[in-house]
Amino acid sequence: MFNHYNIEDIRDRARAAFIGMAIGDALGATVEFMTASEIASKYGIFRDIIGGGWLRLKPGQVTDDTEMALCIARAIVKNQGWSLEAVADNFAAWLKSRPIDCGDTCRKGIRAYILNGQLESPPNKWDAGNGAAMRILPAVLFSIPDDELLKKYVIEQAHITHNNPVSDAACICLGELLHMAICGAEKTRLLRHVDGLVSRFPTFKYDPYRGLATGYIVDTFQTVFHWFFRARTFEEALVGTVNQGGDADTTGAICGMLAGAYYGMENIPKRWTKKMDMKVLAEIDLVTDQLVSASPIARFQEAIKQ
Ligand code: MN
Ligand code: MN
């Protein structure tokens, strides 16, 4: 059933998704909370990884988006399976390590876990930030190509901090798009999938694009969809996205994972990869390999070889 997939191609796209996410985070963080016109008057078109920004980052330094994704990745790898407690434990240790940045909803949920062992935040119509979606990639890689497993992992990890139907729908849609792109789907197929989300949740309609790129999940996804679908390269998608400003590290991270999955490693500019923190890239390579190797697709292909 899965034997028509090329596992080497899947590994390449999975790696490009994870590295693309980190690049989007590091690139966008410089212009986070700026407006598009502030970015334009300061940089013209902003297109290089230079650090700085309100967090005063080193060039290539990543923020909470990548760090929380790595928390999930390490939990799966260490447990050799899915354990929500292990994910929450890693979030807790991360928060206690005084991270460079942490969103309010994430902080609240992780604190409730530390104080009461709460693994699922109560439903909240205001918790529709992008903090659950930005970190889903390890759960996506570990479930390739099984969309039922994907849903379970993605929603369980989301609800540690964000329990909201709009956030949930966005997380699932992004996860499915990533599965499809990593398995080699064409853009027309991805576009149809997003059309499905928009018909169920019209709030995600992104054409005409309103130009809002805040941390609200709807604004974040409209921005990513707008730039991903109109761009013809990884670079074009990411530059367009982060130049909208707003929550630029997170729109950058989400666009970076999607565009990375779609275009693969060879389309990621070397001038960006070279600027990244080498330790972070090395860990990404390692965990990506382990997550893909433990996914249903790789296990199936191993089984039929024997
Ligand atoms: Mn961030
Ligand atoms: Mn952010």
Side-chain angles (χ1 to χ4, degrees):
M1 95 189 118
F2 300 153
N3 39 4
H4 59 285
Y5 293 116
N6 177 341
I7 193 74
E8 287 320 310
D9 198 38
I10 286 175
R11 283 187 191 282
D12 179 88
R13 290 173 185 278
R15 183 162 169 253
F18 219 137
I19 291 175
M21 176 191 75
I23 285 176
D25 183 5
L27 179 73
T30 303
V31 292
E32 189 182 21
F33 301 133
M34 292 173 75
T35 65
S37 56
E38 283 167 355
I39 296 169
S41 56
K42 185 161 179 189
Y43 296 103
I45 296 173
F46 174 72
R47 51 171 73 249
D48 287 304
I49 295 177
I50 55 171
W54 74 282
L55 293 170
R56 299 173 189 278
L57 300 166
K58 290 180 272 205
Q61 191 177 348
V62 295
T63 73
D64 50 340
D65 311 64
T66 305
E67 288 170 352
M68 292 192 86
L70 283 171
C71 285
I72 298 177
R74 289 178 201 132
I76 298 170
V77 168
K78 186 168 169 227
N79 263 275
Q80 311 218 348
W82 181 253
S83 159
L84 192 59
E85 287 82 2
V87 171
D89 283 340
N90 283 359
F91 285 172
W94 170 76
L95 186 61
K96 288 175 184 164
S97 77
R98 298 172 162 268
I100 185 148
D101 192 20
C102 178
D104 293 338
T105 310
C106 287
R107 185 183 307 274
K108 194 176 75 178
I110 298 168
R111 282 181 57 88
Y113 174 71
I114 294 172
L115 295 172
N116 317 314
Q118 176 186 285
L119 281 168
E120 180 169 25
S121 292
N124 183 337
K125 70 170 175 175
W126 304 109
D127 288 348
N130 55 21
M134 71 187 188
R135 61 185 190 227
I136 68 171
L137 187 59
V140 173
L141 301 183
F142 183 56
S143 59
I144 302 168
D146 184 330
D147 282 347
E148 288 310 309
L149 278 181
L150 170 84
K151 262 182 220 158
K152 171 182 155 65
Y153 301 157
V154 159
I155 294 304
E156 283 188 9
Q157 73 78 24
H159 286 189
I160 297 175
T161 55
H162 294 65
N163 189 348
N164 175 280
V166 182
S167 165
D168 287 354
C171 287
I172 292 170
C173 177
L174 175 63
E176 290 168 342
L177 288 170
L178 288 164
H179 268 183
M180 290 182 216
I182 287 169
C183 292
E186 288 303 327
K187 240 185 210 180
T188 49
R189 175 83 189 80
L190 305 181
L191 195 56
R192 278 208 307 281
H193 198 68
V194 173
D195 289 345
L197 174 72
V198 173
S199 67
R200 279 174 288 122
F201 291 84
T203 183
F204 285 103
K205 187 172 184 294
Y206 59 97
D207 182 24
Y209 178 54
R210 298 179 306 149
L212 299 179
T214 74
Y216 176 43
I217 190 74
V218 168
D219 294 348
T220 298
F221 272 49
Q222 285 180 352
T223 298
V224 171
F225 291 153
H226 173 75
W227 286 106
F228 174 71
F229 285 118
R230 69 163 32 200
R232 270 164 300 173
T233 62
F234 177 87
E235 179 169 356
E236 219 181 296
L238 212 49
V239 167
T241 295
V242 301
N243 277 272
Q244 295 296 145
D247 196 359
D249 62 323
T250 307
T251 57
I254 294 174
C255 183
M257 66 179 102
L258 186 56
Y262 182 75
Y263 291 106
M265 281 306 297
E266 68 171 13
N267 202 250
I268 297 184
K270 297 281 179 295
R271 74 171 205 282
W272 282 348
T273 330
K274 275 196 303 208
K275 277 276 157 48
M276 295 299 293
D277 183 330
M278 278 324 196
K279 268 174 68 182
V280 172
L281 287 194
E283 185 176 11
I284 287 175
D285 276 350
L286 188 69
V287 294
T288 301
D289 200 56
Q290 289 167 316
L291 291 168
V292 174
S293 294
S295 70
I297 183 83
R299 289 161 62 167
F300 174 81
Q301 294 210 344
E302 274 307 306
I304 57 169
K305 261 198 250 163
Q306 284 154 17

